[in-house]
Amino acid sequence: MIAKVITGKSFGGCVRYLLEREQSAVLDSAGVRDYDIKAIIADLNAQRKMRPQLGNAVGHTVLSWSNEDRDMLTVEKMAEHAREYMEKMGIKNTQYVTVLHEDKKHPHLHILYNRVDNDGKTIDNFNHWHKSRKVCREMTERYGYHFGKGKAKVNRQALRGNDRLRYAIHDALRSVKAKATTWKQVETMLARQGIGIHFKYRSGTSEVQGISFEKDNVKFKGSAIDRKFSFAGMEKQLSENRAMGITHRATESPSLADQIREVLQQPQEQSSVAFETGMGLLADLLSMPGSIESEPEPDPTWRRKKKKPEDEKSRGIRR
């Protein structure tokens, strides 16, 4: 069980997207007249007027399960899981409508809720992504649902928008992290793939506090791509690479044959709801030039200050 958390501005657009299709059905609702699309939109917009300054009043979560879970699920059970998820996420005392979609192979539903609650207060969405991930993992373990096998199983071709960019950065970092020994080498290799690095410094100092990566003008924190791509995680790996004696030669661009071999050796990618999607298709590799320039030597004057240690402290739904 995984969740994709979204916020938006238009209840009309979201409601029409969810219900103007044959393979959809309302499973559950509260505070809205769920028998009519126009009525649902009117009810949601009426309540949001209690807090007109809140632009992104639309809360939208997609709950998905693996294909392997479909025999364990009924529409009633999915609706119960949606209510439990909202409770654990603090989505309470507000209007919502839960919609089942059967247009994909895996079981999934959509929860649309008003971020302006029944008392006119805003439902906070701070750190919702991390909280949602924790809730989904706990529910998956408790109900015995299937765990995805990680980012390697995600179908890159099906990704769109920011998800596509995030996984492109992920795959680039995975390759670079195994080869680089310095941040200058990381910076140079990522730049070849159109990815920039941004360091966050502690106020008034040169101490690096965090790191972000940017592609096509979209920026992601390293830890939001994967925990191992935080500044501390990357710094640790670079140190280990130096200790193992990995030389700068290993950071040079691999040959065309090596790139093809790497793709062929990877497990065949398939669709997965693991939300967590290699470096392009084989056809992309075959279309690349036969020769690739070697990486320039790193600038010996490039420096950064290490971060101080921190305290430990799934169709087939039974009805």
Side-chain angles (χ1 to χ4, degrees):
M1 174 180 165
I2 58 95
K4 182 173 182 179
V5 180
I6 309 165
T7 58
K9 299 180 179 181
S10 173
F11 281 115
C14 190
V15 172
R16 284 189 288 270
Y17 167 80
L18 296 181
L19 293 172
E20 287 184 349
R21 57 181 66 199
E22 293 182 3
Q23 295 175 307
S24 66
V26 174
L27 298 185
D28 191 17
S29 67
V32 296
R33 295 166 291 172
D34 64 11
Y35 54 82
D36 181 77
I37 291 178
K38 291 183 178 180
I40 295 173
I41 296 171
D43 292 341
L44 291 166
N45 280 325
Q47 182 153 306
R48 80 181 296 173
K49 291 179 180 178
M50 292 194 290
R51 205 163 189 82
Q53 70 273 27
L54 181 62
N56 292 325
V58 181
H60 180 192
T61 300
V62 188
L63 287 185
S64 303
W65 291 261
S66 168
N67 289 332
E68 299 186 27
D69 297 327
R70 62 182 181 270
D71 291 335
M72 301 172 61
L73 293 166
T74 63
V75 292
E76 293 81 11
K77 185 174 291 187
M78 291 173 71
E80 290 175 4
H81 288 332
R83 287 191 290 269
E84 181 179 348
Y85 172 86
M86 287 191 287
E87 178 73 21
K88 292 180 180 294
M89 289 292 293
I91 303 171
K92 309 174 184 179
N93 188 39
T94 193
Q95 300 166 308
Y96 72 86
V97 57
T98 304
V99 181
L100 174 70
H101 274 186
E102 297 183 283
D103 56 342
K104 303 292 183 182
K105 292 182 179 180
H106 60 274
H108 71 285
L109 57 79
H110 297 252
I111 303 170
L112 170 63
Y113 64 93
N114 202 329
R115 291 190 58 225
V116 178
D117 72 13
N118 301 333
D119 298 321
K121 297 179 181 179
T122 300
I123 295 178
D124 184 34
N125 65 349
F126 176 74
N127 212 26
H128 250 37
W129 189 86
H130 293 288
K131 186 176 181 180
S132 177
R133 184 177 179 182
K134 181 178 180 181
V135 169
C136 286
R137 185 173 187 87
E138 185 272 324
M139 292 180 66
T140 299
E141 290 177 342
R142 181 147 55 90
Y143 293 108
Y145 293 131
H146 178 72
F147 272 108
K149 295 184 179 180
K151 293 182 174 64
K153 285 283 188 177
V154 178
N155 183 6
R156 268 66 166 172
Q157 299 179 66
L159 294 174
R160 296 292 183 271
N162 288 354
D163 287 341
R164 177 182 60 82
L165 294 174
R166 186 164 68 91
Y167 275 92
I169 296 174
H170 170 273
D171 292 341
L173 284 170
R174 183 178 61 181
S175 176
V176 167
K177 186 180 178 186
K179 303 172 183 178
T181 58
T182 69
W183 280 105
K184 184 60 177 179
Q185 292 171 18
V186 172
E187 184 178 32
T188 301
M189 287 187 281
L190 290 178
R192 288 181 182 155
Q193 301 180 56
I195 301 170
I197 297 180
H198 301 273
F199 292 99
K200 179 182 178 181
Y201 297 92
R202 190 176 296 278
S203 180
T205 74
S206 60
E207 179 185 348
V208 179
Q209 193 174 27
I211 192 170
S212 298
F213 301 93
E214 182 176 0
K215 185 175 178 63
D216 295 348
N217 297 316
V218 180
K219 190 184 298 186
F220 303 88
K221 291 183 179 179
S223 58
I225 297 171
D226 195 291
R227 289 183 180 180
K228 61 178 175 282
F229 299 137
S230 65
F231 176 78
M234 291 287 291
E235 177 73 9
K236 180 180 179 182
Q237 185 64 58
L238 294 176
S239 297
E240 291 177 356
N241 289 352
R242 289 192 292 271
M244 290 188 295
I246 295 178
T247 64
H248 175 64
R249 182 171 59 86
T251 69
E252 295 176 355
S253 297
S255 67
L256 178 62
D258 287 338
Q259 295 181 63
I260 295 174
R261 189 179 300 112
E262 180 181 355
V263 171
L264 294 177
Q265 288 174 349
Q266 293 176 355
Q268 183 173 350
E269 293 180 354
Q270 52 185 296
S271 296
S272 168
V273 295
F275 198 69
E276 295 183 276
T277 323
M279 292 290 302
L281 303 172
L282 178 59
D284 293 330
L285 292 176
L286 294 175
S287 66
M288 292 173 63
S291 61
I292 305 175
E293 292 184 0
S294 297
E295 180 185 1
E297 289 293 327
D299 181 357
T301 65
W302 190 89
R303 296 289 186 270
R304 84 263 170 239
K305 189 170 181 179
K306 292 185 177 180
K307 181 179 177 181
K308 293 182 180 179
E310 297 179 352
D311 294 338
E312 296 183 353
K313 296 241 188 215
S314 183
R315 258 154 176 70
I317 308 290
R318 291 183 289 112
R319 297 181 180 276

